[in-house]
Amino acid sequence: MAQSRLTLEPEVQRILTKIDAGENFLLSGGAGSGKTYSLVQTIRQALDESPTSAIACITYTNAAVHEISARASHPNLRISTIHDFLWDVIKHFQNELKIVLIELLNDAEKTQFKIEGPQPIAADYFAALRDGIQYKEYVRLRDGIISHDELLVVAEKMFEKYPKLGKIVRSSFACIFVDEYQDTSKEVVRILLDHLPQTGRGCVIGFFGDSMQSIYDDTVGDLDAYTTGQNPKVHEIQKPQNRRNPLSVITLANRLRTDGLTQTPSGDAKAPNMGDGVVKPGRILFLHSANADLEIARRYLADTEHWDISDPKRTKELNLTHNLIADKAGFRDLMDVYDKDRIIELKGKVSKKLRDDTITVPEGATFGDALTLSGIQVGGNNVLGHFVTQNPVLFEIAKAYSWESFRRLYVDKDQLVDDKKQDPDEIAKKGSKRDPLIAHLFKIERLLDLYSTGKFNAFLSQVEFPVTKIEDKRRLKEAIVNLQNSATQSIEEIITQAHDLGLCQIDDKIERFRSEAEYLYNRVKILPYSQFRALFRYIEGHTPFSTQHKTKGREFENVLVVLDNGSWNHYNFKTLFIGGGSENVLRRTRKIFYVCCTRAMENLAVFFHEPLPEVVSKAKEWFGEENVIELPGPPAAG
């Protein structure tokens, strides 16, 4: 029996009224407002009141799918990632998929859709595909295989070109709810609001999220284009309460919001910052110094504010990029391979020059041959020239590689630091960006971690070591101890040792990676395994460090935000306080700062190195003059 609507929170009551009227809606709620709680309440009530109706709930990550599924279940409820939802709709229309993919391959503006060969691509190019167009964790367009990034573009063009798809979706679901809409791509929003038929009742589209927490590029960010005007397609419902933050953090966060939503402390006695109905004031600090050494700020917080800096579950230090953390966490060389390899950068320039100048590289040519044909000069007083000068042997090795294989090599830091939380058997599933080598190393270290933390059942279910008798257990323990004590060895030595001990076999994926990405494998294999172990601890949250992006959606007792742009010009913390510069950069910086500040359940500290007087003045206005503290600068010379 359906629950009385009067017992539901007021925002959910308003949502249900919109559903009754067949109107699309947006629930806007700031950090800690309980948007997921509202989503679950809405799903449950809608299904209780209309149990034969079908509802879809789509979200960006598998983790969010699991969280919502644990709180709401029903035979007519479909909870899935956005990508899986769209693929399930379009995958049965193979003829249309082939037509659309050919059109994208022949569209000069769609640069991600390119295959080599005669242009334009013939209309029957995919006619002989045995398995049709497929969606996998990797892309191989020449074989009709699209991946995570291509799917959304293909799906939108499918819905735009073939209206029957929209009619199918609209007739299949009474409601489609989008969780964390601000992280959704523009293509998905256009599919739901522009390409689905908007006439008639049924198939209400509901969005849940917060535009101020839109911190990723290439997402919709907000729905302003749909919520404004005399006849908006989407009706906004605001949820102002905040269950997470103390009053001082809420006040600061409200200064940063620009969307008209003002948060107020929750009256919910279960809120973590409540006690006997009194809102905790919390503590916010703006620390600044002429010394960029963060250790000064850490010591101050530990000694004066009594923060437990060493406990990563209670305290987090938030930096803007993984690069800014790599030195502190101990994986700098590993990071540089994936993010600062100038030879890989040169390879990309050579490939583009050859393509732009329509230069044909003869069969059997090396990278060195292709470099010569391109006419690109290496040297001089630039980053690439310095890299080659410092790594002459590496450059000569690279030039000897086959151009046919070397040009396909793709290296990106996301292949190393992809931090999506996954079950061990999900490593190769859609959406994971780790390359096979890093995925294999995570498998090895996860086994060691499970064993050392006493999670033996989970360990035995994943280990490839046969255990049938007592002697096997003894040998297994010896194998684990040998690996745990071998951090001074190289990454390749650990891979080989884990294989020889029967703990983690070198499989086809690793063998193929060795062959297809030989240059990258050879660069990584010689590094000390201790660097990967440091990376593992960082990604798994066992260090006090985190990127400001990675911490989104999480909360900690104490939060230290490091306002350092590094070399990233997407953000500018100086203009955050005093204005000026690019409006896009300012908006992006304000949002990432909002997300960081609202992670704090008790105490928030911000560290700014060498701020201008105008920045300090604005900080006194935002944080309170008594909370702006100048720390000791560098020691005097001599």
Side-chain angles (χ1 to χ4, degrees), residues 341-565:
D341 190 306
R342 303 304 175 185
I343 292 176
I344 297 297
E345 182 182 311
L346 174 62
K347 181 266 302 182
K349 292 180 178 179
V350 169
S351 184
K352 183 178 186 305
K353 187 72 162 51
L354 294 173
R355 186 170 60 249
D356 290 347
D357 294 350
T358 62
I359 298 173
T360 301
V361 179
E363 186 175 348
T366 65
F367 170 45
D369 297 331
L371 176 61
T372 300
L373 287 170
S374 74
I376 293 176
Q377 299 299 311
V378 178
N381 188 24
N382 54 48
V383 173
L384 175 59
H386 289 312
F387 185 90
V388 171
T389 300
Q390 294 167 7
N391 299 274
V393 175
L394 182 66
F395 186 45
E396 292 303 316
I397 291 172
K399 288 196 295 183
Y401 281 111
S402 160
W403 173 243
E404 180 63 24
S405 62
F406 192 64
R407 68 182 177 83
R408 294 196 181 98
L409 180 61
Y410 173 76
V411 182
D412 184 84
K413 65 178 180 296
D414 283 346
Q415 295 169 292
L416 176 72
V417 294
D418 174 31
D419 52 14
K420 290 182 175 64
K421 288 295 182 182
Q422 299 166 316
D423 294 328
D425 59 349
E426 287 189 318
I427 288 173
K429 286 192 176 181
K430 303 176 187 73
S432 172
K433 295 182 179 179
R434 290 176 188 159
D435 67 33
L437 173 58
I438 299 303
H440 188 80
L441 292 172
F442 263 92
K443 189 175 181 181
I444 293 173
E445 192 60 24
R446 187 174 286 108
L447 287 172
L448 300 181
D449 186 61
L450 288 172
Y451 190 89
S452 63
T453 54
K455 299 174 183 176
F456 299 118
N457 288 336
F459 170 83
L460 290 173
S461 69
Q462 297 171 36
V463 73
E464 298 168 12
F465 190 100
V467 179
T468 58
K469 52 185 182 295
I470 297 295
E471 177 62 19
D472 294 334
K473 291 184 178 180
R474 185 189 63 77
R475 290 192 301 110
L476 176 59
K477 182 178 180 179
E478 289 179 355
I480 292 292
V481 170
N482 285 337
L483 281 178
Q484 288 175 329
N485 295 333
S486 301
T488 57
Q489 293 182 258
S490 70
I491 283 176
E492 184 177 49
E493 287 171 330
I494 293 296
I495 290 174
T496 303
Q497 191 174 345
H499 174 83
D500 293 342
L501 292 170
L503 291 173
C504 190
Q505 298 295 312
I506 297 173
D507 59 11
D508 290 347
K509 292 178 182 177
I510 292 295
E511 294 288 7
R512 188 163 56 249
F513 186 83
R514 279 175 169 172
S515 172
E516 296 177 356
E518 184 180 0
Y519 175 83
L520 178 58
Y521 181 84
N522 287 341
R523 288 220 62 196
V524 173
K525 73 177 185 180
I526 60 175
L527 296 177
Y529 185 76
S530 58
Q531 290 217 9
F532 176 78
R533 182 163 286 168
L535 172 72
F536 178 87
R537 287 182 52 77
Y538 161 63
I539 294 295
E540 293 299 306
H542 300 320
T543 72
F545 311 114
S546 176
T547 63
Q548 293 165 7
H549 290 77
K550 181 180 175 182
T551 196
K552 184 173 175 286
R554 304 180 68 189
E555 54 191 30
F556 303 94
E557 182 179 313
N558 308 308
V559 173
L560 169 61
V561 184
V562 182
L563 298 188
D564 182 352
N565 304 322

Side-chain angles (χ1 to χ4, degrees), residues 289-307:
S289 170
N291 192 333
D293 184 3
L294 261 172
E295 192 56 37
I296 296 174
R298 296 189 191 110
R299 283 201 304 269
Y300 177 86
L301 293 171
D303 297 342
T304 306
E305 299 296 322
H306 308 297
W307 285 26

